[in-house]
Amino acid sequence: LGLTVRERPTLLWFLSAPTTARIEIALVDPRRVEPLLDVAIEGAPAGIHAVRLDDRALRLEPGVAYEWSVAIVIDPVQRSRDVVTAGAVMHVDAPPGVREPLAAGDAGKRIDALAAAGIWYDALALLTEAIALRPGDTALRAQRAALLEQAGLVQ
């Protein structure tokens, strides 16, 4: 279970190799039958990809452990062959030590405060956004790699 202080967090997933297969991303509220989000894309390049809930008309309620998944559909007829990964995310209030840095304009301080407080989804999303703005910044890439390693996710 990863934490976010955002009602509409960014969900990040990693694809180790490019694929032309269909990719399905779902977000599920455990209290409901139908997914809150069900998106399909046709293929993607290798790398880290984002599903920005800012772009969607939904909000995560505090205290609910939402499940989300990414499935690569290898054979649409034999869905048991799908390659699937899943995670969980919960919206929480920002801890006291995080509120001040979040209000500040310094992205580095926000990332550090979020990571130190275990607000992993938001720290990783901010790092990924910073890398997109400065793709050649090896320090940012090293920081993201360290954060992924701390969470037990090797890129």
Side-chain angles (χ1 to χ4, degrees):
L1 176 67
L3 304 177
T4 179
V5 296
R6 300 182 62 213
E7 292 179 319
R8 294 178 170 156
T10 297
L11 307 176
L12 296 162
W13 53 280
F14 178 72
L15 189 59
S16 62
T19 185
T20 57
R22 189 164 109 190
I23 301 168
E24 296 179 352
I25 301 130
L27 175 66
V28 176
D29 180 333
R31 304 166 298 178
R32 300 179 187 195
V33 175
E34 294 296 318
L36 294 174
L37 177 72
D38 193 5
V39 176
I41 57 176
E42 296 302 325
I48 294 178
H49 299 273
V51 176
R52 294 175 41 87
L53 297 188
D54 278 344
D55 300 338
R56 316 272 177 204
L58 62 95
R59 288 185 167 87
L60 302 187
E61 293 179 37
V64 177
Y66 294 87
E67 296 176 17
W68 67 285
S69 62
V70 177
I72 299 173
V73 181
I74 304 298
D75 181 349
V77 176
Q78 293 288 334
R79 293 300 303 266
S80 62
R81 296 188 60 212
D82 288 4
V83 177
V84 180
T85 189
V89 60
M90 182 183 290
H91 174 222
V92 297
D93 290 331
V98 174
R99 291 181 189 140
E100 186 177 314
L102 284 181
D106 185 319
K109 288 182 182 176
R110 289 185 302 184
I111 292 166
D112 291 344
L114 288 163
I119 311 295
W120 191 83
Y121 276 88
D122 301 342
L124 187 59
L126 283 174
L127 266 170
T128 301
E129 290 169 13
I131 290 168
L133 294 172
R134 297 190 313 264
D137 190 328
T138 57
L140 287 173
R141 289 183 180 279
Q143 188 177 5
R144 182 172 65 184
L147 188 60
L148 289 168
E149 188 175 324
Q150 288 170 14
L153 302 171
V154 178
Q155 186 174 337

